[in-house]
């Protein structure tokens, strides 16, 4: 089994790599930071395993890099789209360059990799895709508008593709992970301080893979995050937006 993980150098991506390496899978670990990737590879190789590990230092905000990645590694059995970052602040004061890079990473890269690997998996009649979104994908996002919108795209794209696969009775499966705050380097990149307790990335990863392997489509760890998603369906969007604004403002 060959597993390709983007955003693999830290956080959830790193934990996913540990889990699949322990399962005897060959890994393709993709991230920008080559030093962190090398460190993770050395750490994993301390375990006795016949699994192979390839590391790829790549900026997925560049479309051509996404396409080259697929051309280089075509026979992937499991794709985990995990690369991404956020930013916090009033929309008229945040960096446009950072937001465009965020869109390229959180949306365009996900779209390209999901589409091109799905095509390959359909040809082989086997494969699984996990798109890492966020509970933010179900909510309006004042003060993190671009990030919330990017995760909403991932949610809606995955939902649409999932229905298509069901109608075609495809053997290829797709899932989305929608966690709340997780202990990663996300908060430092996004310039936020979470008031909610951040979940342990190792526990979230274990829970996710367990549900992913069972074929669950919506993977929403922790009861309080499930509750947020449920309430968001019932409460008017204008009210949800006000609540999110008050929560987000405390992060600034």
């Amino acid at each position: 089994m060959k597993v390709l993980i983007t955003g693999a150098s830290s956080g959830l991506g790193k934990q996913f790599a540990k889990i699949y390496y322990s399962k005897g899978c060959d890994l393709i670990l993709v991230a920008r930071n080559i030093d962190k990737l090398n460190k993770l590879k050395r750490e994993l190789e301390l375990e006795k395993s016949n699994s192979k590990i390839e590391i790829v230092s790549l900026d997925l905000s560049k479309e051509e890099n996404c396409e080259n990645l697929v051309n280089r590694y075509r026979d992937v059995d499991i794709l985990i789209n995990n690369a991404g970052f956020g930013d916090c602040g009033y929309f008229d004061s945040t960096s446009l360059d950072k937001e465009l890079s965020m869109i390229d990473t959180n949306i365009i890269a996900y779209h390209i990799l999901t589409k091109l690997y799905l095509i390959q998996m359909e040809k082989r009649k086997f494969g699984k895709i996990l798109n890492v979104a966020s509970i933010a994908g179900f909510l309006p996002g004042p003060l993190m508008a671009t990030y919330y919108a990017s995760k909403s795209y991932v949610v809606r794209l995955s939902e649409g593709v999932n229905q298509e696969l069901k109608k075609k009775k495809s053997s290829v499966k797709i899932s989305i992970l929608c966690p709340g705050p997780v202990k990663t380097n996300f908060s430092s990149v996004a310039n936020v301080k979470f008031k909610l307790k951040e979940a342990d990335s190792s526990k979230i990863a274990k829970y996710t893979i367990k549900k992913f392997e069972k074929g669950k489509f919506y993977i929403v760890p922790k009861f309080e995050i499930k509750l947020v998603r449920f309430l968001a369906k019932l409460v008017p969007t204008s009210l949800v937006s006000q609540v999110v604004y008050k929560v987000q403002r405390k992060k600034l």
Side-chain angles (χ1 to χ4, degrees):
M1 192 79 74
K2 186 175 290 186
V3 183
L4 189 151
I5 304 170
T6 68
S9 61
S10 62
L12 284 172
K14 181 178 180 179
Q15 298 303 325
F16 290 142
K18 289 181 178 180
I19 292 171
Y20 277 113
Y21 191 72
S22 69
K23 290 177 175 288
C25 298
D26 292 335
L27 303 180
I28 304 162
L29 306 179
V30 184
R32 298 186 190 191
N33 193 314
I34 188 63
D35 292 333
K36 287 185 177 180
L37 285 174
N38 278 317
K39 182 179 179 181
L40 175 57
K41 182 179 181 181
R42 291 193 297 269
E43 184 178 339
L44 292 174
E45 288 177 340
L46 292 176
E47 301 179 27
K48 292 182 179 180
S49 174
N50 293 323
S51 299
K52 297 178 182 178
I53 302 173
E54 292 190 61
I55 58 174
V56 184
S57 176
L58 206 61
D59 180 0
L60 293 176
S61 69
K62 310 297 182 184
E63 293 182 28
E64 60 272 20
N65 287 347
C66 297
E67 294 173 2
N68 290 338
L69 181 66
V70 177
N71 289 331
R72 181 177 175 185
Y73 301 102
R74 304 183 73 84
D75 57 339
V76 167
D77 300 299
I78 296 174
L79 166 67
I80 299 182
N81 271 320
N82 175 67
F85 65 93
D87 196 13
C88 189
Y90 286 90
F91 186 69
D92 60 0
S93 62
T94 48
S95 166
L96 177 59
D97 287 341
K98 186 174 183 179
E99 287 172 336
L100 292 178
S101 181
M102 189 194 312
I103 290 169
D104 288 337
T105 305
N106 294 13
I107 295 179
I108 303 301
Y110 272 60
H111 189 107
I112 293 172
L113 295 180
T114 298
K115 187 178 189 71
L116 297 185
Y117 273 117
L118 180 65
I119 292 171
Q120 294 299 323
M121 291 174 179
E122 286 270 67
K123 288 179 181 178
R124 296 164 54 214
K125 301 186 184 302
F126 180 80
K128 299 176 73 174
I129 297 172
L130 174 64
N131 283 335
V132 178
S134 167
I135 192 62
F138 299 106
L139 306 169
L143 299 181
M144 290 187 74
T146 304
Y147 174 75
Y148 274 57
S150 74
K151 289 306 179 182
S152 179
Y153 184 93
V154 174
V155 168
R156 295 309 184 197
L157 176 71
S158 302
E159 288 174 333
V161 172
N162 182 54
Q163 187 62 25
E164 291 178 7
L165 292 174
K166 284 184 176 180
K167 291 299 183 182
K168 292 196 295 183
K169 300 186 185 307
S170 174
S171 55
V172 179
K173 305 299 179 184
I174 189 170
S175 300
I176 48 173
L177 169 61
C178 301
V182 180
K183 288 181 181 177
T184 66
N185 66 347
F186 176 90
S187 56
S188 61
V189 175
N191 299 315
V192 298
K193 294 181 179 179
F194 289 109
K195 298 301 179 181
L196 287 173
K197 183 178 180 181
E198 294 177 320
D200 180 83
S201 60
S202 176
K203 291 180 180 179
I204 296 298
K206 290 176 182 177
Y207 175 89
T208 299
I209 298 305
K210 180 180 178 181
K211 297 297 182 180
F212 182 51
E213 291 183 342
K214 290 182 178 180
K216 188 171 181 61
F217 176 66
Y218 293 107
I219 304 174
V220 185
K222 297 179 73 68
F223 171 77
E224 59 265 37
I225 304 304
K226 288 183 172 71
L227 183 61
V228 169
R229 183 185 170 218
F230 174 74
L231 293 175
K233 296 178 181 180
L234 303 178
V235 179
T237 301
S238 59
L239 181 56
V240 175
S241 188
Q242 292 180 48
V243 173
V244 173
Y245 175 81
K246 289 181 180 179
V247 173
Q248 302 291 54
R249 193 175 182 184
K250 295 176 183 179
K251 300 174 184 177
L252 295 176

